[in-house]
């Protein structure tokens, strides 16, 4: 076996992949959040129910929420979901552990969005701590005989149960493995190649899915909203598609995938010379736009 030739071929394959070059134009955004609202198994209630109903012990189990219906805990969960929404909306797939590709043009919007949610998250957690005594009285009232004080953290420790971690780190490059000695270098480079192919596929799938969603909404509204009277159209009929077109363009400035370039060009053709006002007054323009949108959707039906 000619090891030198194999290494050269592997190097050529890696050089042909678009993603390693993004390290100068993108970072990996990390996000890890924990919004504390625990549940616990109640063995006493489970045994009681099974006994009363004549059921075996493995039939089911009773699980109780420790903070049932407490609004501040619900608010924290809502903020967690909002942060994950910002994280996903402004980034592209990289790995399954919370890291996603954040291209340079999107960094200001990402940092502003995540920072705003993070500040609200910790402010709400502080409200929980400040109102913890009242919260515990409300919980005790709601849970009745199911209340067990030993299951709850103290007022001082409640903040420690929540987590909101974010970071931006460099994107790896193939030459990062050059400093690894021996045969392990080739193994790591080959694994990284497979990962990059997986990343590429994930980006195309996610961008295609998002494109399909925004175009399906436009098609549906053009078809059904208000019947022949389109005066009820909101500006978002166009601005939502325009915003996605802008994001898609910024993403592909860096990753340069032909599939994304095609989608970006097709959406641009849909948006060419149309405004919400024109769509409201011209059935001819509405019909032309819908035909374009539906034609793109047919190509995305996979």
């Amino acid at each position: 076996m000619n090891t030198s030739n194999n290494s050269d071929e592997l190097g050529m394959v890696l050089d042909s992949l678009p993603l390693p070059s993004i390290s100068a134009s993108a970072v990996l955004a990390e996000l890890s959040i924990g919004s504390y609202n625990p549940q616990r198994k109640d063995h006493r209630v489970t045994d009681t129910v099974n006994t009363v109903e004549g059921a075996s012990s493995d039939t089911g189990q009773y699980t109780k929420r420790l903070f049932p219906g407490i609004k501040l805990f619900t608010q924290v969960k809502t903020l967690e979901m909002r942060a994950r929404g910002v994280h996903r909306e402004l980034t592209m797939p990289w790995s399954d552990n919370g890291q996603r590709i954040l291209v340079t043009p999107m960094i200001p919007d990402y940092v502003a969005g995540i920072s705003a949610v993070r500040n609200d998250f910790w402010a709400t957690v502080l409200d929980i701590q400040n109102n913890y005594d009242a919260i515990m009285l409300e919980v005790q009232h709601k849970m009745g005989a199911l209340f067990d004080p030993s299951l709850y953290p103290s007022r001082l420790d409640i903040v420690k149960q929540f987590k909101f971690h974010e970071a931006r780190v460099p994107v790896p490059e193939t030459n990062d493995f050059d400093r690894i000695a021996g045969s392990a270098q080739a193994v790591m480079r080959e694994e990284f190649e497979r990962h990059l192919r997986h990343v590429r596929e994930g980006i195309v799938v996610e961008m295609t899915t998002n494109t399909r969603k925004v175009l399906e909404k436009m098609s549906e509204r053009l078809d059904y909203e208000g019947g022949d009277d389109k005066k009820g159209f909101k500006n978002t009929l166009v601005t939502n598609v325009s915003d996605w077109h802008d994001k898609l363009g910024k993403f592909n400035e860096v990753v340069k995938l032909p599939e994304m370039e095609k989608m970006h060009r097709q959406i641009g053709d849909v948006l060419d010379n149309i405004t919400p006002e024109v769509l409201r007054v011209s059935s001819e323009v509405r019909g032309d736009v819908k035909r374009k949108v539906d034609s793109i959707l047919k190509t995305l039906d996979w």
Side-chain angles (χ1 to χ4, degrees):
M1 179 175 67
N2 191 324
T3 305
S4 177
N5 287 341
N6 288 343
S7 297
D8 290 343
E9 290 176 5
L10 178 58
M12 291 175 64
V13 170
L14 291 170
D15 290 342
S16 70
L17 293 170
L19 289 171
S21 63
I22 73 172
S23 59
S25 304
V27 295
L28 296 180
E30 297 179 353
L31 182 65
S32 179
I33 310 175
S35 53
Y36 182 70
N37 197 352
Q39 298 180 347
R40 295 289 186 272
K41 297 176 184 177
D42 194 312
H43 298 288
R44 179 182 63 81
V45 175
T46 297
D47 291 342
T48 299
V49 171
N50 287 336
T51 299
V52 170
E53 299 298 334
S56 62
S57 60
D58 59 354
T59 300
Q61 59 186 17
Y62 182 83
T63 302
K64 60 186 179 184
R65 296 173 57 194
L66 297 191
F67 295 95
I70 304 300
K71 291 183 178 180
L72 286 174
F73 283 83
T74 303
Q75 290 173 17
V76 174
K77 185 64 178 179
T78 299
L79 289 166
E80 175 190 347
M81 300 306 295
R82 188 184 303 170
R84 296 190 188 282
V86 171
H87 182 63
R88 190 170 186 86
E89 180 184 355
L90 300 179
T91 58
M92 293 180 292
W94 176 260
S95 72
D96 296 330
N97 64 359
Q99 287 186 330
R100 288 174 62 87
I101 298 172
L102 173 60
V103 298
T104 303
M106 306 298 289
I107 289 177
D109 289 341
Y110 181 91
V111 172
I114 287 293
S115 297
V117 181
R118 181 194 63 227
N119 292 341
D120 289 344
F121 181 94
W122 286 119
T124 306
V125 172
L126 184 59
D127 283 344
I128 289 174
Q129 185 180 51
N130 291 337
N131 294 280
Y132 198 55
D133 292 341
I135 288 172
M136 291 304 295
L137 287 175
E138 183 178 351
V139 168
Q140 186 172 1
H141 174 73
K142 287 187 172 186
M143 299 192 72
L146 298 181
F147 180 73
D148 181 355
S150 68
L151 298 177
Y152 294 83
S154 69
R155 181 178 179 277
L156 293 178
D157 288 339
I158 186 65
V159 175
K160 300 176 184 177
Q161 312 304 315
F162 296 87
K163 177 180 68 173
F164 195 115
H165 169 77
E166 44 146 338
R168 267 74 66 188
V169 299
V171 179
E173 296 187 47
T174 53
N175 60 14
D176 289 342
F177 301 105
D178 290 348
R179 57 181 174 269
I180 299 177
S183 59
Q185 180 184 129
V187 172
M188 294 303 298
R189 285 171 63 90
E190 186 175 357
E191 287 185 357
F192 191 59
E193 174 195 356
R194 286 198 299 270
H195 177 66
L196 290 177
R197 294 188 185 283
H198 176 71
V199 168
R200 177 187 176 121
E201 179 182 347
I203 289 174
V204 172
V205 170
E206 186 167 304
M207 298 302 103
T208 300
T209 300
N210 291 344
T211 297
R212 185 187 298 116
K213 286 180 180 178
V214 296
L215 293 184
E216 282 178 345
K217 288 182 179 179
M218 172 174 266
S219 179
E220 290 169 3
R221 291 175 184 175
L222 286 171
D223 212 7
Y224 299 114
E225 188 172 335
D228 292 331
D229 180 8
K230 302 299 179 179
K231 293 181 180 179
F233 276 153
K234 298 179 181 178
N235 289 347
T236 52
L237 177 69
V238 175
T239 58
N240 286 346
V241 178
S242 179
D243 289 346
W244 173 243
H245 179 254
D246 180 62
K247 290 174 186 173
L248 194 62
K250 289 178 179 177
F251 289 150
N252 209 40
E253 284 177 10
V254 176
V255 296
K256 302 186 187 306
L257 296 180
E259 299 92 338
M260 287 176 60
E261 171 58 31
K262 180 180 179 181
M263 286 187 285
H264 185 256
R265 186 173 60 253
Q266 289 175 322
I267 298 172
D269 185 48
V270 169
L271 294 170
D272 189 33
N273 294 323
I274 69 163
T275 64
E277 291 75 17
V278 170
L279 289 175
R280 291 186 185 108
V281 300
S282 174
S283 60
E284 182 179 351
V285 173
R286 290 196 298 271
D288 182 56
V289 170
K290 180 170 172 56
R291 282 190 292 273
K292 289 180 179 179
V293 170
D294 290 346
S295 177
I296 297 172
L297 287 172
K298 288 180 181 178
T299 69
L300 303 180
D301 189 18
W302 49 270

